[in-house]
């Protein structure tokens, strides 16, 4: 049974790789961007789920950590000439003026920077609980944004940074997403993952079982910030331009939506929801422009897609209170069971 | 050998003295009861011993080490495990995971070796798993190992909570009303189980209990609290006939 499952898993991975190759060949640049966005949202969704879903801390500070990652990576990879062009109001700080790093080390450092900021914020913030924690993390994320708007010589302020090299391709975005998925699965399977879950279930009991609750919360928060930073950096290099306004609360909300929709505390759910939400956001764009029904033309109402989207969200929450997957995970055994049940029911 | 000693511990909440000058001394392998009417300060005494509240005054000594005011997880690491008055299991985790997690405190690897699964970590995880299975076997929960904790019947949930506490590797076990809400059959089983735990795990036990049949049947010695004050101390026969205890429980004419 176990061997059969690992063969199936291997086949699944190969299938996904082939799919990736196929999409890479056939998609135009518009579709490609959405496809990459899916992967980045998987990374971001999983990192938020680690804190919100698995550790049970309601954090709303994700956009801030993404901003740290995106800016760090951008400042490290932009060419000196490009930096001079961007910083026309005030010159950039001298120590950054001539750095032009390759993408990989820059990506790692941006994750580490976000993790350090996350670690520093965690110490005061994680003494709070529930909604107080949510407000405090939200506050910190806004503080990061405001600082970035006002440090003209470091981040170019409200003007943002343009002309980021388009490093993010299928291999980077999906590679990172796959790594994050594997990291999360292995983390949750191990002793630390179970300790985090026990903190979610009952903090007092976890503490009484000898788990250093505060330390584990800080670890979880820091790791989540690390992946948020990497996701932010990938996003910056996909879009090619970043500015502080991009990292408003709305961005955190989008990721939170993915986590809630997929199931708070489910890796599978987050992956599915990240893809569905990203694709749907684009597909429903049709509703914003005018539609020709032949007999009459419906005038486009900008913003209609968000209405439809909200309705869909409400429907899901009404029928699946705990998100699409709850806290369940995908496994070949459960899939097999479900298929057999459908077969048994069969045509009457 | 002296296991636990509290020296005149006192806890004051605002103007209320919840526990006043409680002095307990427990020898190895004893089963000691802590009884008293509702609101007498029994659970507060537990919380001071396990580090949930620091005592306002007084000291707690465990195996000749001063543990006054230490954090709960640290106290557990030293070897005091507890259960709760209202069951506090990890609800969504399975029976196996509930007990497994209680081994986590002895894990020596860091989080990254758990993700990479270094040989050292894998060996420890295997040991933890084996220890968990052995413990479940001993307490008779092996056949429900994969069930969700909350799906168990009440008596078994109590038993699981004790098993989970035992998995932390304690030398002193604190039980907060283990027989609460049990029917006579279940509380009888519990009494057997407590003796069984003492034999099998070489345990010292301090328990809060209202159920007189259980307390008198199990405990060798007991302390009686009333309004935070220790009103009596001694073996069951002495307590049963103590006029002060009778007064506290039944009132006077």
């Amino acid at each position: 049974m176990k061997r059969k499952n690992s063969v199936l898993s291997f086949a699944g991975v190969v299938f996904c790789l082939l799919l990736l190759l196929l999409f890479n060949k056939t998609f135009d640049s518009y579709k490609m961007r959405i496809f990459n966005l899916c992967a980045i949202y998987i990374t971001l969704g999983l990192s938020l789920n680690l804190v919100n879903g698995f550790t049970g801390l309601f954090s709303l500070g994700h956009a801030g950590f993404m901003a740290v990652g995106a800016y760090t990576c951008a400042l490290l990879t932009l060419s000196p000439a490009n930096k001079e062009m961007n910083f026309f109001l005030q010159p950039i700080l001298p120590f950054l003026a001539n750095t032009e790093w390759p993408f990989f080390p820059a990506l790692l450092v941006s994750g580490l920077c976000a993790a350090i900021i996350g670690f520093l914020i965690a110490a005061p913030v994680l003494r709070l609980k529930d909604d107080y924690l949510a407000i405090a993390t939200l506050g910190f994320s806004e503080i990061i944004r405001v600082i970035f708007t006002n440090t003209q010589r470091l981040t170019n302020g409200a003007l943002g940074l343009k002309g980021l090299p388009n490093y993010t391709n299928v291999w980077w975005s999906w590679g990172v997403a796959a790594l994050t998925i594997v990291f999360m699965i292995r983390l949750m399977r191990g002793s630390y993952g179970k300790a985090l879950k026990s903190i979610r279930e009952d903090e007092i009991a976890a503490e009484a079982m000898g788990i250093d609750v505060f330390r584990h919360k800080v670890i979880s928060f820091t790791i989540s910030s690390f992946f948020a930073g990497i996701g932010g950096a990938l996003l910056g290099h996909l879009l090619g331009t970043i500015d502080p306004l991009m990292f408003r609360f709305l961005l955190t909300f989008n990721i939170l939506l993915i986590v809630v929709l997929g199931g708070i505390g489910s890796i599978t759910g987050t992956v599915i929801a990240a893809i569905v939400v990203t694709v749907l956001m684009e597909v429903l764009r049709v509703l914003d422009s005018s539609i020709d029904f032949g007999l009459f033309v419906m005038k486009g109402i900008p913003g209609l897609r968000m209405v439809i989207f909200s309705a869909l969200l409400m429907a899901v929450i009404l029928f699946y209170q705990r998100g699409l997957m709850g806290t369940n995970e995908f496994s070949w055994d459960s899939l097999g069971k479900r298929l057999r049940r459908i077969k048994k029911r069969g045509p009457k | 050998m002296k296991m636990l000693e509290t020296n005149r511990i006192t806890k004051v909440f605002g103007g209320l003295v919840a526990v006043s000058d409680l002095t307990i001394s427990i020898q190895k392998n004893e089963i000691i009861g802590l009884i008293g009417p509702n609101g007498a300060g029994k659970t507060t005494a537990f919380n001071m011993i396990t580090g949930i509240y620091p005592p306002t005054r007084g000291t707690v000594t465990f195996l000749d080490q001063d543990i006054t005011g230490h954090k709960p997880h640290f106290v557990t690491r030293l070897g005091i495990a507890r259960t709760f008055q209202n069951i506090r299991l990890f609800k969504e985790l399975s029976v196996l995971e509930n007990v497994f997690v209680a081994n986590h405190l002895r894990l020596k690897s860091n989080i990254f070796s758990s993700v990479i699964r270094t040989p050292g970590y894998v060996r420890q995880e295997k040991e933890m798993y084996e220890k968990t299975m052995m413990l479940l076997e001993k307490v008779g929960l092996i056949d429900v190992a994969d069930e969700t904790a909350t799906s168990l019947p009440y008596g078994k949930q109590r038993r699981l909570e004790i098993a989970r506490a035992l998995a932390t590797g304690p030398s002193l076990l604190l039980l907060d009303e283990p027989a609460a809400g049990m029917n006579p059959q279940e509380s009888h089983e519990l009494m057997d189980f407590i003796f069984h735990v003492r034999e099998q795990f070489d345990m010292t036990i301090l328990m809060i209990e209202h159920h007189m049949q259980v307390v008198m049947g199990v405990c060798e010695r007991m302390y009686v609290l009333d309004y935070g004050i220790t009103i009596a101390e001694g073996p069951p026969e002495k307590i049963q006939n103590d006029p002060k205890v009778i007064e506290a429980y039944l009132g006077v004419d």
Side-chain angles (χ1 to χ4, degrees), chain A residues 183 186-187 190-192 194-195 197-198 201-202 204-212 216 219 322 327, chain B residues 72-73 76-77 84 88 90-93 97 101 104-105 107 109-111 115 117 121 125 128 164 168:
Chain A
F183 181 92
R186 300 189 83 153
L187 174 65
S191 182
Y192 276 89
K194 297 208 167 73
K197 278 191 204 168
S198 75
E201 295 297 322
D202 195 321
I204 293 172
E207 182 92 30
M209 290 309 119
I211 295 167
D212 188 342
H216 280 75
I219 291 176
R322 315 191 45 205
T327 50
Chain B
H73 65 85
T76 310
R77 206 160 294 180
F84 295 89
R88 280 180 178 274
F90 304 127
K91 297 192 182 75
E92 294 235 335
L93 304 189
E97 285 173 321
V101 142
H104 182 70
L105 77 166
L107 184 73
S109 307
N110 64 23
I111 191 161
V115 172
R117 299 186 74 79
Y121 170 79
E125 195 190 69
M128 283 161 75
R164 188 181 65 176
T168 62

Side-chain angles (χ1 to χ4, degrees), chain A residues 54-107:
Chain A
F54 290 109
T55 322
L57 304 166
F58 193 36
S59 159
L60 292 176
H62 232 50
F65 304 122
M66 287 173 63
V68 173
Y71 270 98
T72 311
C73 200
L75 287 170
L76 288 175
T77 54
L78 272 175
S79 66
N82 215 327
K83 275 177 191 158
E84 214 169 305
M85 234 154 62
N86 268 307
F87 288 80
F88 59 84
L89 277 181
Q90 281 177 34
I92 189 171
L93 291 170
F95 77 96
L96 279 170
N98 289 313
T99 50
E100 191 182 356
W101 289 24
F103 191 42
F104 181 63
L107 196 63

Side-chain angles (χ1 to χ4, degrees), chain A residues 20-55:
Chain A
L20 219 62
L21 273 173
L22 179 74
F23 288 162
N24 200 15
K25 279 258 151 45
T26 54
F27 276 0
D28 54 26
S29 66
Y30 170 65
K31 279 184 187 157
M32 211 58 214
R33 175 174 280 205
I34 298 167
F35 190 53
N36 281 325
L37 219 51
C38 286
I40 294 171
Y41 272 118
I42 289 176
T43 307
L44 294 169
L46 283 176
S47 65
L48 189 65
N49 208 349
L50 174 62
V51 168
N52 284 25
F54 290 109
T55 322

Side-chain angles (χ1 to χ4, degrees), chain B residues 153-186:
Chain B
Y154 188 78
K156 281 195 173 161
Q157 286 194 24
R158 284 271 176 214
R159 187 174 287 211
L160 173 58
E161 221 194 2
I162 297 173
R164 188 181 65 176
L166 288 172
T168 62
S171 36
L172 173 66
L173 185 61
L174 307 187
L175 304 177
D176 197 343
E177 292 200 31
M182 283 188 171
N183 61 33
Q185 166 71 20
E186 281 173 328

Side-chain angles (χ1 to χ4, degrees), chain B residues 98-116:
Chain B
N98 262 281
V99 179
F100 183 88
V101 142
N103 285 292
H104 182 70
L105 77 166
R106 313 267 176 228
L107 184 73
K108 284 180 197 77
S109 307
N110 64 23
I111 191 161
F112 296 107
S113 35
S114 95
V115 172
I116 302 164

Side-chain angles (χ1 to χ4, degrees), chain A residues 248-271:
Chain A
R248 272 176 303 187
F249 173 62
L250 204 64
L251 187 61
T252 305
F253 176 77
N254 275 345
I255 303 161
L256 190 66
L257 188 82
I258 289 169
V259 172
V260 172
L261 213 59
I264 295 178
S266 166
I267 298 169
T268 322
T270 302
V271 173

